[in-house]
Coordinates of all heavy atoms in Angstrom, one line a residue:
F269 N -6.5 20.7 -19.1 CA -5.1 20.4 -19.2 C -4.3 20.8 -17.9 O -3.5 20.1 -17.4 CB -4.5 21.1 -20.4 CG -3.1 20.8 -20.7 CD1 -2.7 19.5 -21.0 CD2 -2.1 21.8 -20.6 CE1 -1.4 19.2 -21.3 CE2 -0.8 21.5 -20.9 CZ -0.4 20.2 -21.2
G270 N -4.7 21.9 -17.3 CA -4.0 22.4 -16.1 C -4.4 21.5 -14.9 O -3.6 21.2 -14.1
S271 N -5.6 21.0 -14.9 CA -6.1 20.1 -13.8 C -5.4 18.8 -13.8 O -5.2 18.1 -12.8 CB -7.6 19.9 -13.8 OG -8.0 19.1 -15.0
M272 N -4.9 18.4 -15.0 CA -4.2 17.1 -15.1 C -2.9 17.1 -14.4 O -2.4 16.1 -13.8 CB -3.9 16.8 -16.6 CG -5.2 16.6 -17.4 SD -6.3 15.4 -16.7 CE -7.8 15.6 -17.8
F273 N -2.2 18.3 -14.4 CA -0.9 18.4 -13.7 C -1.2 18.4 -12.2 O -0.4 17.9 -11.4 CB -0.2 19.7 -14.1 CG 0.4 19.6 -15.4 CD1 -0.3 20.1 -16.5 CD2 1.7 19.1 -15.6 CE1 0.3 20.0 -17.8 CE2 2.2 19.0 -16.9 CZ 1.6 19.5 -18.0
I274 N -2.3 18.9 -11.7 CA -2.7 18.8 -10.3 C -2.9 17.3 -9.9 O -2.4 16.9 -8.9 CB -3.9 19.6 -10.0 CG1 -3.6 21.1 -10.3 CG2 -4.4 19.5 -8.6 CD1 -4.9 22.0 -10.1
A275 N -3.6 16.6 -10.8 CA -3.8 15.2 -10.6 C -2.5 14.4 -10.5 O -2.3 13.5 -9.7 CB -4.7 14.6 -11.7
L276 N -1.6 14.8 -11.4 CA -0.3 14.1 -11.4 C 0.5 14.4 -10.1 O 1.1 13.5 -9.6 CB 0.6 14.6 -12.6 CG 2.0 14.1 -12.7 CD1 2.0 12.6 -12.9 CD2 2.8 14.7 -13.8
G277 N 0.4 15.6 -9.6 CA 1.0 15.9 -8.3 C 0.5 15.0 -7.2 O 1.2 14.5 -6.3
F278 N -0.9 14.9 -7.1 CA -1.5 14.0 -6.1 C -1.1 12.5 -6.3 O -0.8 11.8 -5.3 CB -3.0 14.1 -6.2 CG -3.6 15.3 -5.4 CD1 -4.1 16.4 -6.1 CD2 -3.6 15.3 -4.0 CE1 -4.6 17.5 -5.4 CE2 -4.1 16.4 -3.3 CZ -4.6 17.5 -4.0
A279 N -1.0 12.1 -7.5 CA -0.6 10.7 -7.8 C 0.8 10.4 -7.3 O 1.1 9.4 -6.7 CB -0.7 10.4 -9.3
V280 N 1.8 11.4 -7.6 CA 3.1 11.2 -7.1 C 3.2 11.3 -5.6 O 4.0 10.6 -5.0 CB 4.0 12.3 -7.7 CG1 5.5 12.2 -7.2 CG2 4.1 12.1 -9.3
W281 N 2.4 12.0 -5.0 CA 2.4 12.2 -3.5 C 1.8 11.0 -2.8 O 2.1 10.9 -1.6 CB 1.6 13.5 -3.2 CG 1.4 13.8 -1.7 CD1 2.3 14.2 -0.8 CD2 0.2 13.6 -1.0 NE1 1.7 14.3 0.4 CE2 0.4 13.9 0.3 CE3 -1.1 13.1 -1.4 CZ2 -0.6 13.8 1.3 CZ3 -2.1 13.0 -0.4 CH2 -1.8 13.4 0.9
L282 N 1.0 10.2 -3.4 CA 0.4 9.1 -2.7 C 1.4 8.2 -2.1 O 2.5 7.9 -2.7 CB -0.4 8.2 -3.7 CG -1.7 8.9 -4.2 CD1 -2.3 8.0 -5.4 CD2 -2.7 9.0 -3.1
P283 N 1.2 7.6 -0.9 CA 2.1 6.7 -0.3 C 2.2 5.4 -1.1 O 1.2 5.0 -1.7 CB 1.5 6.5 1.1 CG 0.1 6.8 1.0 CD 0.0 7.9 -0.1
N284 N 3.3 4.7 -1.0 CA 3.5 3.5 -1.7 C 2.8 2.4 -1.1 O 2.5 2.4 0.1 CB 5.0 3.1 -1.8 CG 5.8 4.1 -2.6 OD1 5.4 4.5 -3.7 ND2 7.0 4.4 -2.2
V285 N 2.5 1.4 -1.8 CA 1.8 0.1 -1.3 C 2.9 -0.9 -1.1 O 3.7 -1.2 -2.0 CB 0.7 -0.3 -2.3 CG1 0.1 -1.7 -1.9 CG2 -0.4 0.7 -2.5
K286 N 2.8 -1.6 0.0 CA 3.9 -2.6 0.4 C 3.4 -4.0 -0.1 O 4.3 -4.8 -0.5 CB 4.1 -2.6 1.9 CG 4.7 -1.3 2.4 CD 5.0 -1.4 3.9 CE 5.6 -0.1 4.4 NZ 5.8 -0.2 5.9
Y287 N 2.1 -4.3 -0.1 CA 1.7 -5.6 -0.4 C 0.5 -5.5 -1.4 O -0.3 -4.6 -1.3 CB 1.2 -6.4 0.8 CG 2.3 -6.5 1.8 CD1 2.3 -5.7 3.0 CD2 3.4 -7.4 1.7 CE1 3.3 -5.8 3.9 CE2 4.4 -7.5 2.6 CZ 4.3 -6.8 3.8 OH 5.3 -6.9 4.7
S288 N 0.5 -6.4 -2.4 CA -0.7 -6.4 -3.3 C -1.8 -7.2 -2.7 O -1.7 -7.9 -1.7 CB -0.2 -7.1 -4.6 OG 0.0 -8.4 -4.4
I289 N -3.0 -7.0 -3.3 CA -4.2 -7.6 -2.7 C -4.2 -9.2 -3.0 O -4.5 -9.9 -2.1 CB -5.4 -7.0 -3.4 CG1 -5.6 -5.6 -3.0 CG2 -6.7 -7.8 -2.9 CD1 -6.8 -4.9 -3.6
Y290 N -3.6 -9.6 -4.1 CA -3.8 -11.0 -4.5 C -2.5 -11.8 -4.3 O -2.6 -13.0 -4.0 CB -4.2 -11.1 -6.0 CG -5.5 -10.4 -6.2 CD1 -5.5 -9.1 -6.9 CD2 -6.7 -10.9 -5.8 CE1 -6.7 -8.5 -7.2 CE2 -7.9 -10.2 -6.0 CZ -7.9 -9.0 -6.7 OH -9.1 -8.4 -7.0
F291 N -1.3 -11.2 -4.4 CA -0.1 -12.1 -4.5 C 0.7 -12.0 -3.2 O 1.2 -13.0 -2.7 CB 0.7 -11.7 -5.7 CG 0.0 -11.9 -7.0 CD1 -0.2 -10.9 -7.8 CD2 -0.4 -13.2 -7.4 CE1 -0.9 -11.1 -9.0 CE2 -1.0 -13.4 -8.6 CZ -1.3 -12.3 -9.4
R292 N 0.9 -10.8 -2.7 CA 1.8 -10.7 -1.5 C 1.2 -10.0 -0.3 O 1.8 -9.3 0.4 CB 3.1 -9.8 -1.9 CG 3.9 -10.5 -3.0 CD 5.2 -9.6 -3.3 NE 4.8 -8.4 -3.9 CZ 4.7 -8.3 -5.2 NH1 4.8 -9.3 -6.0 NH2 4.4 -7.1 -5.8
R293 N -0.1 -10.3 -0.2 CA -0.9 -9.6 0.8 C -0.7 -10.3 2.2 O -0.9 -11.5 2.3 CB -2.4 -9.7 0.5 CG -3.3 -9.1 1.5 CD -3.2 -7.6 1.5 NE -4.3 -7.0 2.3 CZ -4.4 -5.7 2.5 NH1 -3.6 -4.9 1.9 NH2 -5.4 -5.2 3.3
V294 N -0.2 -9.6 3.2 CA -0.1 -10.1 4.6 C -0.8 -9.0 5.4 O -0.3 -7.9 5.5 CB 1.3 -10.3 5.0 CG1 1.4 -10.8 6.4 CG2 2.0 -11.3 4.1
T295 N -1.9 -9.4 6.1 CA -2.6 -8.4 6.9 C -1.8 -8.2 8.2 O -1.0 -9.0 8.7 CB -4.0 -8.9 7.2 OG1 -3.9 -10.1 8.0 CG2 -4.8 -9.2 6.0
A296 N -2.1 -7.0 8.8 CA -1.5 -6.7 10.1 C -1.8 -7.7 11.2 O -1.0 -8.0 12.0 CB -1.9 -5.3 10.5
K297 N -3.0 -8.2 11.2 CA -3.4 -9.2 12.2 C -2.7 -10.5 12.1 O -2.2 -11.1 13.0 CB -4.9 -9.4 12.1 CG -5.5 -10.3 13.1 CD -7.0 -10.5 13.0 CE -7.6 -11.4 14.1 NZ -9.0 -11.5 13.9
Q298 N -2.5 -10.9 10.8 CA -1.7 -12.1 10.6 C -0.3 -12.0 11.0 O 0.3 -12.8 11.7 CB -1.7 -12.5 9.1 CG -3.1 -13.1 8.7 CD -3.1 -13.4 7.2 OE1 -2.5 -12.6 6.4 NE2 -3.6 -14.5 6.8
T299 N 0.3 -10.8 10.7 CA 1.7 -10.6 11.1 C 1.9 -10.5 12.6 O 2.8 -11.1 13.1 CB 2.2 -9.3 10.4 OG1 2.0 -9.4 9.0 CG2 3.7 -9.1 10.7
T300 N 1.0 -9.8 13.3 CA 1.1 -9.7 14.7 C 1.0 -11.0 15.4 O 1.8 -11.4 16.3 CB 0.0 -8.7 15.2 OG1 0.2 -7.5 14.6 CG2 0.2 -8.5 16.7
S301 N 0.0 -11.8 15.0 CA -0.2 -13.1 15.7 C 1.0 -14.1 15.4 O 1.4 -14.9 16.2 CB -1.5 -13.8 15.2 OG -1.5 -14.0 13.8
A302 N 1.5 -14.0 14.2 CA 2.6 -14.9 13.8 C 3.9 -14.5 14.6 O 4.6 -15.4 15.1 CB 2.9 -14.7 12.3
V303 N 4.2 -13.2 14.7 CA 5.3 -12.8 15.5 C 5.2 -13.2 17.0 O 6.2 -13.6 17.6 CB 5.6 -11.3 15.3 CG1 6.7 -10.8 16.3 CG2 5.9 -10.9 13.9
E304 N 4.0 -13.0 17.5 CA 3.8 -13.3 18.9 C 4.0 -14.8 19.1 O 4.6 -15.3 20.1 CB 2.4 -12.9 19.4 CG 2.3 -11.4 19.5 CD 0.9 -11.0 19.9 OE1 0.0 -11.9 19.9 OE2 0.6 -9.8 20.1
G305 N 3.4 -15.6 18.2 CA 3.5 -17.1 18.4 C 4.9 -17.6 18.3 O 5.3 -18.5 19.1
V306 N 5.7 -17.0 17.4 CA 7.1 -17.5 17.3 C 8.0 -16.9 18.4 O 8.8 -17.6 18.9 CB 7.7 -17.0 15.9 CG1 9.2 -17.4 15.8 CG2 6.9 -17.6 14.8
T307 N 7.7 -15.7 18.8 CA 8.6 -15.1 19.9 C 8.4 -15.8 21.2 O 9.3 -16.0 22.0 CB 8.2 -13.6 20.0 OG1 8.4 -13.0 18.8 CG2 9.1 -12.9 21.0

């Protein structure tokens, strides 16, 4: 039971995800090449 609170602390501490794998995924390579091409 005590270890569960430690796990909860790690879960809250995790960084947020900006893009999902399937729906809103944009890789860094795609973004960089797109910006360079338009600029």
Side-chain angles (χ1 to χ4, degrees):
F269 184 63
S271 69
M272 300 306 172
F273 286 94
I274 299 176
L276 177 61
F278 276 107
V280 174
W281 173 76
L282 288 173
N284 293 320
V285 176
K286 296 181 179 180
Y287 303 103
S288 66
I289 295 178
Y290 300 108
F291 298 118
R292 295 184 292 276
R293 178 74 169 179
V294 179
T295 63
K297 185 176 180 180
Q298 287 176 319
T299 304
T300 302
S301 60
V303 171
E304 290 178 353
V306 175
T307 305

